Amino acid sequence: MIRRRFIAAFAALLALTSRVSAQDAGAAALGELVRGLGVNMRVLVIAAHPDDEDTQLITWLARGRQVETAYLSLTRGDGGQNLIGNELGEALGAIRTEELLAARRIDGGHQYFTRAFDFGFSKSAEETYKHWPKDSILRDVVSIVRDFRPHVIVAIFSGTPRDGHGHHQVSGLLAREAFDLAGDSVRMPMSVTHGSAPWTPLKFYRSSRFGGESTYRFDVGAYSALRGESYAEMAAESRSQHKSQAFGSLKRKGSIMDGVRLEASRVSKVVEGMTETSLFDGIDTTWARVAAEMNGSHAAIDSLPAAIASVHRAYDPFYPDRLLAPLARVRQLATRNPDGSLDAQASLLELMSRVQRAFLVASGAGIDVAVDHETWAAEEPIRTTASVYDRYATPMKASVDIRSMHPKGGLPSKDLRPLGAAQFGDTVRDTTISQPWWLTAPRVGDIFGTPIIARPEDALFGLRATVGIEINGVSFGLDWPVIFRYADPIKGEIRRPIAIVPAVSVTIDQPIQYVPANRPFNRVVRVELRSASNHPRSVKVSLQLPAGLAADSMSVVVGLPDYAGNFGGEGEPQGIPGGRAVAGNSPVRFAEFHVHGTLSEGRHTISAVAESEGRRYMTGYTLIDYDHIRPQRLFHDAKLELSAVDIRVGPALNVAYIPGVGDNVAPMLEQLGIPLTVIAPDKVATADLSRYTTVVVGPRAYESSPALVAANPKLFDFARRGHTLVVQYGQFEMANPGMMPYPITIVRPADRVTEEDAPVRLIDPSSPILNAPNRIGPADWQGWIQERSLYMPRTHDERYRSLLSMNDTGEPPNDGAILVAPLGSGTYVYTTLALFRQLPAGVPGGARLFVNLLSTDQRSAGTPPALPKP
């Protein structure tokens, strides 16, 4: 059984070789791979979120010491905020997943996740466990420990309340529990860890980044002669991939110390608290340890050190092909006897992976496996072309097999002349839709419904090719991703993974919308159709409407072009310049329906159905596309959810909206019939605000826009002239002088109400904000999502009038959720309520309250005090 699993794992390791990237090419990468042949240790770092990881530790281990290193993030960061776009929730989780993978490509680590959904800020482990069933997430962590088989586990957080965030605390607790239980087949049987066998890590550390003494300290400022920079500089580049969280970092030079503290050890003579000279003190890190764990003869493993030494001696960055024969000898020894312990298996698998990657770099082979456009219909053939280049003056033989899930068998080979090339064409099919694998099933509460895949996230790819290379009798094989490449006039070559999508993708613009309840309304429903088909199609689109609504037509027929936007005849589409906008989204057409009627209060659903060539299409995708990450497509049903709300809007409103970060509020206000103009933050200084009754500043807008900060006096002047200025929450910058008309204080960590159902007490029930044009009652605080309020002022100037008081269970009340103050002849409103989450989710009370804030005047603010001296 162990032998069969090992052989299967050896076949699966080919997927890991596709991790070869720009960081794994050339003499520097080859030097690291060669040096890593003698390293057989593994370290797993565990924390809660993307950007929690210690990139300095990971880089120092993976790039500096060639230790196989992985980061396990319990979540994908879905509950955070987004400083580069308006994606939130699962879409933000997809962005932050890719940011972690981009970081790992730089620092050399692997990446794992559990099924935990980031539901937002949590103040305690107890609250977190109400969302994440402890046994489920613990089993996920243990499954990953058993898959990766680390000798050492490093927890970033302490597992105590001083971690500040319930998710952080839980990650610290579960890391230690997994260390204790991963080797216990009674309390954690293989049946609950997806068949993974028990594994016993040897040492458990906690990071000392956040305080506490270190038992082992190391200098991440050490210089890498291969990379031409220090490990701290590489780590800064890795950390800077967390762009959605604005974590861009300077590359610091010089000595920079990092450290960890030993908490538990199963190694004799190494105990908690003792000072160490290495993470692996007390552990045999040589191949002698592996040899002792082999079943039967271990002569081949005994010979590995000498064979590896031969590779070291042969390494010459100017003549890398001299490594091929000694690398082949290492591979021969590593595969001679596949029977051994779990540790031996994992060590030999990583050795063989490094050998395969070193083969590729040393061979000088150039490989491209490409298609001529990005999106392909799942039910149609995919035309692929593989090119292999011999870039040395040595004959080469190459074979290519392009496949989706299962290889076809025999690989046709071609001989390449020195400095020559060979091409391989094939037509294949892949019906697996390209989407984040963890979103293929609905969530169950705050747990993703798709079973965990206990493999590194960086090893999961779609369509790929198996490439075989032979040079001077030395052969090797590797996996290579199938990509679409094109030339951008500004950026140069762009390489993107191909996407398998339905031939016709169907989505509805703005899938959650507000409508008035119990009053007739008209709404244009735009159905968006995307083509990935290799030929034009006629598509019939119809709507399924709830009772009370009717449409101007039963169905609409739309002519949909092929994937390149052509309506031409059969065969190859004509006139497609290389890489013309076939990157990213497929061609789009719209079907519009004028829907009218009356709905009762509550939620109602409109569904769209597209029919073409005997098939029905009812799903579509949203493309997430940023330069620093791979594109992702999030699929969802073609549905429009209408939130019918009993709401009144003041007749004279005219709103200017200045967007913040992760801000989708403006479209929701427009759906309520509010006249609204969006003004970019950097345009405020030159904008004419005189025609507006109200200006709204979006969440964290000041933090993300220095231009808006500079224009803030203009906004105050707008209010002083008798208008209303509504500012949504910011972070600590709001306490800076000049950010608000009167002072506030915000403590660290900031006050917040994370219980979305926390009771709300009205301090001033008679305030017009709570009564006009909508009377705010208990029902308006129901159905909120994720949180009530965040970054709340602890204290505020007496000129502010406070309207609400709230708190999480067991905490003191905070009355800073809505502050209203007179400003000249007008009114200033500051709210830390999480309205930026409630409105896009269609929460009725959020909409009713926001409309009231827009209508605020000095009746809500009280008597104007004397103006402050300039």
Side-chain angles (χ1 to χ4, degrees), residues 20 44 102 176 213 224 227 235 297 303 333 414 500 802 839:
V20 174
L44 178 64
R176 178 56 195 268
E213 295 185 359
S224 168
R227 295 283 173 178
S297 173
S303 300
L333 294 171
K414 294 185 179 182
I500 310 301
S802 180
L839 269 73

Side-chain angles (χ1 to χ4, degrees), residues 1 72 130 221 225 237 289 317 324 327 348 407 460 498 501 637 726 741 748-749 769 780 803:
M1 176 64 72
L72 166 58
K130 291 178 182 177
E237 184 179 354
R289 181 193 82 251
L324 295 176
L327 283 172
L348 291 172
L460 303 176
I498 72 169
V501 300
D637 293 338
V726 178
R748 293 178 183 264
I769 286 183
D780 291 300
L803 303 183

Side-chain angles (χ1 to χ4, degrees), residues 679-728:
I679 300 177
D682 60 351
K683 302 299 183 184
V684 172
T686 57
D688 179 8
L689 304 179
S690 61
R691 64 189 178 94
Y692 302 108
T693 61
T694 307
V695 170
V696 179
V697 178
R700 296 178 68 179
Y702 291 111
E703 176 189 355
S704 61
S705 175
L708 180 61
V709 175
N712 204 34
K714 179 176 180 176
L715 298 180
F716 287 173
D717 287 342
F718 168 82
R720 289 189 179 101
R721 295 190 179 99
H723 305 296
T724 299
L725 176 61
V726 178
V727 177
Q728 297 176 70

Side-chain angles (χ1 to χ4, degrees), residues 58-175:
I58 294 172
T59 307
W60 184 81
L61 285 169
R63 293 292 184 199
R65 299 296 180 272
Q66 284 68 56
V67 172
E68 191 178 8
T69 309
Y71 174 50
L72 166 58
S73 176
L74 297 191
T75 77
R76 298 174 185 270
D78 326 77
Q81 289 147 45
N82 183 0
L83 276 78
I84 61 173
N86 58 9
E87 298 89 351
L88 294 173
E90 291 176 349
L92 178 57
I95 291 173
R96 298 186 72 184
T97 294
E98 282 296 319
E99 288 180 336
L100 271 180
L101 295 177
R104 297 295 81 80
R105 287 192 286 273
I106 293 168
D107 60 36
H110 298 287
Q111 184 61 53
Y112 287 92
F113 297 93
T114 74
R115 292 172 296 153
F117 174 73
D118 181 352
F119 57 85
F121 188 84
S122 170
K123 294 181 177 177
S124 68
E126 292 74 22
E127 180 190 0
T128 299
Y129 282 137
K130 291 178 182 177
H131 293 262
W132 300 342
K134 178 182 176 181
D135 289 348
S136 297
I137 304 303
L138 177 59
R139 286 196 295 267
D140 286 357
V141 177
V142 171
S143 296
I144 290 162
V145 169
R146 289 179 172 181
D147 174 75
F148 185 64
R149 302 174 191 168
H151 302 95
V152 172
I153 293 177
V154 180
I156 296 297
F157 295 104
S158 68
T160 67
R162 74 178 175 85
D163 293 329
H165 192 317
H167 300 179
H168 294 169
Q169 187 176 350
V170 164
S171 74
L173 292 169
L174 293 181

Side-chain angles (χ1 to χ4, degrees), residues 5-33:
R5 287 180 180 170
F6 180 74
I7 293 171
F10 175 53
L13 81 84
L14 290 176
L16 292 178
T17 62
S18 58
R19 296 179 66 237
V20 174
S21 65
Q23 286 76 27
D24 287 320
L30 185 58
E32 288 181 352
L33 288 167

Side-chain angles (χ1 to χ4, degrees), residues 738-792:
M739 295 299 295
M740 294 175 62
Y742 314 115
I744 63 169
T745 64
I746 304 177
V747 299
R748 293 178 183 264
D751 293 338
R752 57 203 302 166
V753 179
T754 62
E755 297 171 8
E756 62 269 26
D757 56 354
V760 177
R761 298 172 294 278
L762 307 185
I763 296 174
D764 184 5
S766 63
S767 169
I769 286 183
L770 301 176
N771 290 278
N774 302 288
R775 185 175 182 83
I776 303 301
D780 291 300
W781 303 107
Q782 296 175 5
W784 282 47
I785 63 167
Q786 188 158 325
E787 55 198 342
R788 287 275 196 226
S789 188
L790 62 171
Y791 289 88
M792 304 172 74

Side-chain angles (χ1 to χ4, degrees), residues 8 14 27 141 199 210 235 239 282 307 325 335 357 410 416 436 512 528 659 673 685 704 768 820 824 833 862:
L14 290 176
V141 177
W199 171 259
F210 304 112
R239 189 155 186 78
T335 56
R357 290 152 63 194
L416 281 70
I512 298 179
E528 184 179 274
S704 61
V820 188
L833 291 171

